Each structure stands twice: as C-alpha cells, then as structure tokens.
Amino acid sequence: DLFNLEQVPERIEVYDNSHIMGKYAVGAMIVAGPQGFEKNEYRKYTIHTNTSESGGDDYQMLREVLTRRIKRIKEDP
C-alpha cells in the first residue's frame, strides 16, 4: 500500500558494502521472499576494484556488485 504497487513483490534483494578505509572491501546481498528471509540465497562479493587509494568509494563498490549481479542474472536466468 505504501508504494502503491499493483502486486506484492515475490523477491526483494538488499545490497550493502563494507570496508576499512578502503581495504578489505566486501559487498553483500540478502534476499527476502513471501516466507521471509531466504538465507540460502544470500551472497557475499569480494570487491575487485581498488578502493584503498580513495579511502573507499562506496558508490563504486556498489556499482561493481550490482554489475556482477546483473551479469549473473543475464547468464543464468
């Protein structure tokens, strides 16, 4: 009701990333479905982009994770 959606989504993916001043960067995806959280669908991504020089570019890290996720969906629907 809040978002005025015509139907309830069957799957919701939530993304976040984490790092320590640009080092040890990782991204994560959690998934919720009609029955609640689907932990077997969770994914962890090691960030390949060098973000330590900038102190951690959160937008670039998220861009990398989403690009990899979309590529995976296209390859294996």
Side-chain angles (χ1 to χ4, degrees), residues 1-61:
D1 291 336
L2 180 65
F3 295 110
N4 296 319
L5 300 175
E6 293 180 15
Q7 58 186 13
V8 177
E10 292 291 318
R11 178 182 176 99
I12 297 174
E13 296 180 356
V14 180
Y15 297 86
D16 194 15
N17 52 43
S18 180
H19 58 91
I20 300 173
M21 297 297 290
K23 296 183 180 185
Y24 315 107
V26 295
M29 174 185 79
I30 64 169
V31 179
Q35 304 303 319
F37 291 107
E38 298 179 11
K39 295 185 179 186
N40 60 326
E41 296 289 325
Y42 287 15
R43 297 292 179 266
K44 179 181 171 186
Y45 297 85
T46 301
I47 304 297
H48 300 294
T49 306
N50 182 4
T51 59
S52 60
E53 294 174 1
S54 63
D57 184 343
D58 289 340
Y59 295 108
Q60 177 56 36
M61 287 186 270

